[in-house]
Amino acid sequence: MIRTQGDDRRFLFLQGPHGPFFKDLGAMLRRAGAEVWRVGFNRGDQAYWGRQGYIPFTGTQDDWPQTVEGVFDRLAITDLVLYGDTRFIHAEAVTRARARGITVHVFEEGYLRPWWVTYERGGANGHSRLMDLSAADMQRALERCEIDLIDAPAHWGDMRHHVFYGFAYHARVLLANGRYKGFRPHRAMNVAQEFQLYLGRLLAMPLHAIERRLATWRVRTGGFPYHLALLQLEHDSSFQQHSPFSTMTEFLEVTIQGFAQGAPRHHHLVFKAHPLEDGRTRLKADIQRLARVAGVADRVHFIRGGKLAGLLNHARSSVTVNSTAAQQVLWRGMPLKVFGAAVYDKPEFVSTQPLPDFFAQPSRPDLRAYRDYRRFLLETSQLPGGFYSAAGRRQLLRQVVDLLLSPEDPYTALIRGHAAPRQHLRLVR
């Protein structure tokens, strides 16, 4: 009999998504019989956990490797839980956890976002096991599954939840962080700058919404064929750790040059910003400057965030570094060009053409193979729900605790035919 209880399991949480998801997850693991602790690195971490099992880390980054090793040994930790695996404190902890045989559980935003979140063992994005699984491997695993393609589940909240929790988190770090004098954020900006960006983003939302609607209307009513470039956050770990570019400007320049050299003269290029873009990079100004230099200023557009589906429905192709939004491109059977390491970067899906050739006549993905890939993800690492809304957290907790307690990671369980049935019904809140 396979044990799925928490007896003899000792979980250590590090940093999670903004908000109470990790606290709720830890509480349910305790109800399952496990012991749970969390290391907090600032006042924001502390606020969304509580006193039970809380371990404040008040040292410097240099102190962290030795500290986490001491925590592992002192508490006899069996499982490490974190959100993203590339920031310094997480990467150091993962390395030392593996050396001790500790199971590493990694959460991330959904590879099939916005309706799902990602749960994997060992690593995510460029460190995911998906990087080493071929489309043929996934198709063989699915031969045991009698499921149809799955519709998107209920909507789990909007971007306002995400922005609100980010604002509240950074406000606490900025205003009440005296206990954690050694804290350093994992991004280049300091906490005060991050707080100002979140505040500015909240205040500018109405104006940005008007600007976005006008720019989108011009593209959708312009009557021209267009290619869509999906932008990412320059400070995001997927961009920094798993791409050939160090700045977003480098990607902008390569894309605009490729478009100018290869696209038919009546085609246009649309850059869509990430929904959480906060102004720390001068995207609009850089795009306008680079388009003028390339002689295509009248055919290049910038849209500040917003919904992706409406733009994709009329686009000819899409280009990105390694954005998870590219999954929506492939789901529509559209040609896709990527530059960085991505879990969907399989030869069946992604074009290998030089960029000018891609813009001239892009090759299409194997839609049947991609649908099998999508089914594989939905039966393994993609869980319906969300981190930031109460409804999304409730739905996520219905399945994720059993996965953490399972002796096998989701990919292995499906490949070996041991995977438990998933809940795929469209639910009403």
Side-chain angles (χ1 to χ4, degrees):
M1 176 175 158
I2 296 176
R3 296 181 65 192
T4 58
Q5 298 299 315
D7 302 339
D8 304 321
R9 300 287 290 275
R10 303 168 70 85
F11 287 81
L12 181 69
F13 284 62
L14 299 185
Q15 289 194 295
H18 297 149
F21 171 67
F22 265 17
K23 179 181 180 181
D24 296 344
L25 177 57
M28 188 168 285
L29 283 168
R30 289 192 186 99
R31 290 196 290 273
E35 295 188 64
V36 181
W37 295 267
R38 180 177 184 177
V39 177
F41 299 84
N42 57 57
R43 188 64 179 82
D45 293 339
Q46 182 179 344
Y48 289 112
W49 183 261
R51 294 183 178 181
Q52 186 175 3
Y54 184 75
I55 304 170
F57 174 73
T58 58
T60 66
Q61 281 195 350
D62 292 339
D63 302 325
W64 172 240
Q66 183 176 359
T67 299
V68 73
E69 288 182 343
V71 173
F72 286 159
D73 295 339
R74 185 174 74 256
L75 300 178
I77 295 299
T78 62
D79 297 79
L80 178 67
V81 184
L82 37 81
Y83 174 67
D85 61 354
T86 58
R87 66 186 68 179
F88 173 81
I89 57 175
H90 287 179
E92 290 291 322
V94 168
T95 298
R96 285 155 177 79
R98 287 174 177 159
R100 287 167 166 74
I102 294 171
T103 301
V104 178
H105 307 268
V106 183
F107 287 92
E108 261 290 4
E109 302 294 341
Y111 293 148
L112 301 178
R113 69 182 67 172
W115 298 288
W116 290 273
V117 303
T118 297
Y119 164 73
E120 296 183 278
R121 300 256 181 108
N125 294 310
H127 299 147
S128 168
R129 278 193 63 194
L130 290 171
M131 301 299 295
D132 299 319
L133 289 172
S134 68
D137 293 331
M138 300 177 193
Q139 288 168 329
R140 283 192 293 270
L142 289 170
E143 291 175 358
R144 300 184 180 92
C145 297
E146 298 295 333
I147 61 170
D148 295 323
L149 286 171
I150 300 160
D151 291 333
H155 188 51
W156 305 118
D158 58 28
M159 193 58 61
R160 288 174 295 179
H161 293 95
H162 195 161
V163 174
F164 169 78
Y165 280 123
F167 173 80
Y169 177 91
H170 286 97
R172 288 182 171 94
V173 176
L174 178 64
L175 301 174
N177 213 46
R179 184 182 187 185
Y180 303 90
K181 297 186 184 301
F183 172 70
R184 295 292 180 272
H186 62 281
R187 295 170 179 161
M189 285 190 170
N190 61 40
V191 176
Q193 291 170 321
E194 290 272 2
F195 175 80
Q196 289 172 355
L197 287 172
Y198 271 98
L199 178 59
R201 177 174 164 75
L202 282 170
L203 295 176
M205 272 185 168
L207 180 61
H208 288 169
I210 295 172
E211 177 189 341
R212 179 173 62 250
R213 290 191 183 101
L214 288 173
T216 303
W217 178 82
R218 293 189 190 102
V219 170
R220 295 182 65 176
T221 62
F224 44 75
Y226 63 87
H227 307 264
L228 189 62
L230 304 176
L231 300 181
Q232 296 162 246
L233 301 176
E234 185 178 276
H235 57 272
D236 184 75
S237 61
S238 292
F239 183 87
Q240 290 295 327
Q241 302 293 328
H242 305 301
S243 87
F245 306 111
S246 58
T247 67
M248 187 57 68
T249 302
E250 295 174 8
F251 170 67
L252 299 177
E253 184 171 12
V254 167
T255 302
I256 291 173
Q257 287 293 334
F259 173 78
Q261 294 168 15
R265 294 183 180 179
H266 62 292
H267 284 206
H268 288 230
L269 176 62
V270 178
F271 286 95
K272 182 190 177 299
H274 189 280
L276 290 176
E277 182 59 54
D278 53 20
R280 72 185 67 196
T281 54
R282 301 175 66 253
L283 291 176
K284 186 174 182 179
D286 284 346
I287 289 169
Q288 292 173 338
R289 173 180 58 81
L290 292 167
R292 285 195 301 270
V293 172
V296 291
D298 60 333
R299 295 193 286 138
V300 175
H301 311 262
F302 172 74
I303 295 179
R304 192 187 300 275
K307 301 294 184 182
L308 178 59
L311 290 170
L312 281 178
N313 289 339
H314 303 284
R316 289 293 185 91
S317 72
S318 187
V319 179
T320 189
V321 178
N322 53 8
S323 172
T324 56
Q327 300 272 8
Q328 296 187 49
V329 177
L330 293 171
W331 176 238
R332 288 166 169 77
M334 290 171 51
L336 175 67
K337 177 71 176 177
V338 301
F339 290 90
V343 295
Y344 52 80
D345 186 6
K346 312 292 181 186
E348 293 86 353
F349 315 149
V350 174
S351 173
T352 59
Q353 299 166 280
L355 192 55
D357 295 346
F358 177 81
F359 279 123
Q361 192 170 1
S363 59
R364 298 178 65 87
D366 180 339
L367 185 55
R368 180 174 297 178
Y370 177 73
R371 291 189 176 192
D372 288 337
Y373 165 87
R374 184 176 182 271
R375 287 178 60 206
F376 182 85
L377 263 62
L378 290 170
E379 285 298 306
T380 53
S381 61
Q382 303 304 290
L383 305 178
F387 296 127
Y388 305 105
S389 71
R393 292 192 299 275
R394 286 195 300 268
Q395 175 60 17
L396 186 53
L397 288 169
R398 289 186 174 107
Q399 297 192 64
V400 73
V401 174
D402 289 340
L403 291 177
L404 266 73
L405 296 175
S406 171
E408 295 178 312
D409 75 85
Y411 302 130
T412 299
L414 187 65
I415 290 170
R416 293 180 178 174
H418 300 161
R422 287 292 183 85
Q423 183 184 48
H424 293 307
L425 297 176
R426 183 186 296 273
L427 299 176
V428 179
R429 279 182 283 179

